[in-house]
Amino acid sequence: MREHRGMTRRRALGIGGALGLLATTGLSAAAALARRPSFTGAQLRSTAALPPPFQTPMPVPSVLRPVSTSEGADRYEITQREATLQVLPGISTPMWTYGGTFPGPTIESRRGRKVIVTHHNELPVPTVVHLHGGRTPAAHDGYPTDLVLPAAWSHLALHGGHAGHGSAGGHGMTDARAVVTNRQRAYEFPLDQRATMLWYHDHRMDFTAPAIWRGLAGLHFVRDDVDDALDLPRGDHELPMMIADRAFDADGRLAYPALDPTLTGQPGVTEAYLAGVLGDVILVNGAPWPVHEVDTGVYRLRILNGSNARHYELEAVAENGRTLPLVQIGADQGLLAAPVRHEHLPIAPAERYDLLIDFGGLPVGSRVRLANRLGTGRTADVMQFHVVRHGASAPIPDRLADDLPEWDRSQATVIRDFAFRAGRMNGRHGWLIDGQPFDPARTDVTTRLGDIEVWRLIADVHHPIHLHLVGFRVLSRGGAEPLPHDAGLKDTISLRPGESAEIITRFDGYRGRYLFHCHNAEHEDMGMMANLEIV
Ligand code: C2O
Ligand code: CU
Ligand code: CU
């Protein structure tokens, strides 16, 4: 086991290495950028009465039952609809949901077994479903203009399915390649990929951030024999945990500073929130600062940061102030080669970690707080584990997976540079990639199926950068070694202010039009997305 203690290996921001790129992209104040606070976004203040922490039991999203499992595929049906949920105790909150719950139902799948999910759109707006981290053919990847129109909009789609011009949203852009459907769409997922926890969420052009905020997110597990053979904690000792922040108005409604609250016209958020929308309530699986009863055994935590813009640095603290190690066994795209031990662990929007935590050695009755070191006041708490009984301890394996791709930079056919920074877009503030806002009609990168490439990414402020279709390895950060939490196969990398990083991947799987973008969802909606064409 590689052992790393928290921040001790964290290096100074890679300003040296970043400077060259910053200069060429017209940024000069690299040092000033590096001193910016580590959060991105502005925090809404709830006016609803907020509950005390660690009272609400942590829900575990229910696993969806397939409607059929014959003909080589598991078929599911999900209705996207409005539902009034009790998120804060005793308070009703209208939300947009997958199947009436937040998070949506969890889908359990096996590597290589096809899953077909038919989504029915009963919401008042068009939607698009993307399976984040899925190796999915382009036609089913949830491209932002491949809209599923609600019944009231169906006159916009021609001939029951293939509209020549999908409306791309508030900018009046049209996308000739969009495939628009009426009311429903069957998404097919081959899931020919390593076991891991994926998540599905809305991905509509210009309105992804508010749609996720209103509740359109759910978890999706891929299992395989490699994972099963390790005999890791399972059943009630494996806990899916979608962490997300929200804010609530006095009447229980979700607060969100959308310019157009109907989410049909002008996209974007009010001036103060351009850097991202933060809530002051931390939810785990839709419950505020919950508590979960555990035994003295080892638990497997499958954590997703499903927040729009909030970064967390997780730390498990016992009542005596002792920190429990978070033993990382997996990253966004599955198991690591060997466990990595963390005292605390940063997690950016859309990142996932697969962690083991051992409550052995704690007396029954003790409490362990999962804290957020980047939070202040109530956002410094996430949830609490309450140790209520004895449990069997389990060994933590030394070796995990031996199938991680080991790409070498000498194999790369090309090295590409991308700058992620603020700029102007349609006369307003925007977030740009190489100076340009997203345009579905422009191909930004063309790559050949099977090619290995190195991408050098540089950020002005915090940007979690996500590639569709592929997993990648982190080669360097700030011109130095990757950080301990960069281990394994990733699909989202968190660039810190002023920081550069190099990633390497092979573009294999499927040809077609894919995306890469910042997963600060407000940045994504305000331009920070680009097209990747695999030919
Ligand atoms: Cu979480 Cu483009 O995706
Ligand atoms: Cu994705
Ligand atoms: Cu960003």
Side-chain angles (χ1 to χ4, degrees):
M1 184 186 305
R2 283 199 290 146
E3 185 134 348
H4 296 297
R5 297 177 138 268
M7 309 285 280
T8 54
R9 253 176 55 110
R10 175 174 282 186
R11 289 171 164 75
L13 292 177
I15 297 308
L19 263 180
L21 274 167
L22 283 166
T24 63
T25 56
L27 290 182
S28 52
L33 285 170
R35 280 197 299 271
R36 284 189 184 182
S38 58
F39 55 83
T40 295
Q43 185 167 300
L44 292 161
R45 271 240 331 264
S46 291
T47 47
L50 301 181
F54 319 139
Q55 304 292 312
T56 314
M58 183 184 82
V60 173
S62 60
V63 174
L64 192 62
R65 292 252 295 272
V67 293
S68 87
T69 57
S70 54
E71 293 160 50
D74 297 340
R75 290 166 197 274
Y76 295 89
E77 304 271 339
I78 293 179
T79 299
Q80 306 174 0
R81 59 181 177 86
E82 295 179 277
T84 299
L85 304 181
Q86 194 172 296
V87 177
L88 303 176
I91 294 178
S92 294
T93 300
M95 295 186 74
W96 287 0
T97 69
Y98 291 123
T101 62
F102 174 71
T106 298
I107 293 179
E108 281 281 353
S109 58
R110 295 289 304 179
R111 176 176 192 160
R113 171 148 179 104
K114 189 193 273 187
V115 163
I116 302 174
V117 187
T118 301
H119 279 267
H120 303 267
N121 181 7
E122 294 182 3
L123 291 165
V125 301
T127 60
V128 178
V129 181
H130 169 59
L131 179 61
H132 179 123
R135 267 166 62 92
T136 307
H140 297 276
D141 196 46
Y143 192 82
T145 52
D146 288 347
L147 304 175
V148 181
L149 302 178
W153 292 47
S154 293
H155 60 282
L156 295 178
L158 308 175
H159 313 304
H162 296 251
H165 303 278
S167 166
H171 306 311
M173 284 191 286
T174 57
D175 175 16
R177 293 168 73 180
V179 177
V180 176
T181 59
N182 286 324
R183 293 186 304 281
Q184 68 177 64
R185 179 164 185 143
Y187 292 90
E188 299 195 11
F189 305 113
L191 298 168
D192 175 18
Q193 60 186 105
R194 307 176 82 229
T196 190
M197 186 178 80
L198 311 174
W199 63 303
Y200 60 101
H201 61 75
D202 198 63
H203 214 305
R204 176 166 59 116
M205 179 89 182
D206 296 333
F207 295 102
T208 293
I212 294 176
W213 186 270
R214 288 189 192 195
L216 295 181
L219 301 173
H220 182 134
F221 282 90
V222 184
R223 311 283 184 179
D224 71 6
D225 297 343
V226 178
D227 196 290
D228 288 354
L230 282 170
D231 212 19
L232 295 162
R234 63 187 74 191
D236 64 0
H237 283 61
E238 182 184 37
L239 301 175
M241 291 168 47
M242 180 192 290
I243 302 175
D245 59 340
R246 296 288 187 272
F248 297 83
D249 286 337
D251 63 359
R253 283 174 192 279
L254 288 168
Y256 190 85
L259 292 177
D260 172 8
T262 70
L263 309 189
T264 55
Q266 174 73 24
V269 293
T270 58
E271 190 86 26
Y273 297 89
L274 291 171
V277 178
L278 308 176
D280 59 354
V281 177
I282 309 298
L283 307 174
V284 183
N285 297 338
W289 302 287
V291 58
H292 190 71
E293 293 187 347
V294 295
D295 63 32
T296 55
V298 177
Y299 281 74
R300 183 179 189 183
L301 310 182
R302 312 297 297 263
I303 299 182
L304 160 70
N305 180 357
S307 308
N308 281 19
R310 184 179 290 281
H311 294 245
Y312 304 79
E313 191 164 284
L314 302 174
E315 181 179 42
V317 194
E319 280 157 305
N320 59 7
R322 187 166 76 87
T323 294
L324 269 61
L326 300 170
V327 180
Q328 186 189 354
I329 57 169
D332 304 329
Q333 287 286 322
L335 290 169
L336 308 184
V340 180
R341 219 175 130 102
H342 304 274
E343 297 292 319
H344 34 86
L345 187 55
I347 184 165
E351 283 189 304
R352 285 93 69 211
Y353 289 117
D354 191 350
L355 304 177
L356 297 180
I357 185 167
D358 187 354
F359 297 107
L362 293 173
V364 168
S366 52
R367 294 172 185 270
V368 175
R369 190 170 67 99
L370 188 64
N372 167 27
R373 292 163 52 98
L374 299 179
T376 53
R378 300 205 62 183
T379 61
D381 287 330
V382 177
M383 65 172 291
Q384 187 189 69
F385 297 100
H386 185 197
V387 182
V388 295
R389 56 185 169 268
H390 289 284
S393 84
I396 291 173
D398 287 342
R399 301 291 311 160
L400 297 165
D402 57 11
D403 65 335
L404 275 170
E406 298 286 350
W407 300 300
D408 186 85
R409 61 173 85 239
S410 66
Q411 299 171 281
T413 53
V414 63
I415 297 174
R416 303 182 197 267
D417 291 305
F418 299 99
F420 297 83
R421 61 185 192 90
R424 303 295 294 174
M425 162 180 161
N426 303 316
R428 298 187 67 235
H429 179 285
W431 293 98
L432 312 178
I433 301 177
D434 283 345
Q436 291 188 292
F438 180 59
D439 178 353
R442 186 185 66 234
T443 299
D444 299 280
V445 174
T446 304
T447 189
R448 281 177 318 202
L449 188 71
D451 275 6
I452 294 174
E453 300 193 359
V454 170
W455 287 18
R456 299 196 297 212
L457 316 172
I458 173 94
D460 57 356
V461 297
H462 241 136
H463 297 294
I465 306 306
H466 168 52
L467 273 64
H468 284 215
L469 182 67
V470 293
F472 54 78
R473 308 289 310 261
V474 181
L475 280 179
S476 73
R477 212 185 244 278
E481 289 286 296
L483 292 167
H485 67 268
D486 292 325
L489 197 61
K490 304 272 299 161
D491 58 45
T492 306
I493 177 173
S494 176
L495 300 176
R496 295 175 300 181
E499 192 174 49
S500 64
E502 289 177 301
I503 60 172
I504 187 167
T505 189
R506 181 198 293 274
F507 290 94
D508 63 357
Y510 307 95
R511 294 184 176 80
R513 182 167 65 157
Y514 290 94
L515 294 167
F516 62 101
H517 59 88
C518 179
H519 222 293
N520 174 315
E522 279 78 28
H523 295 191
E524 174 184 342
D525 280 348
M526 286 182 280
M528 199 168 262
M529 186 153 66
N531 285 304
L532 163 66
E533 188 82 35
I534 301 175
V535 296

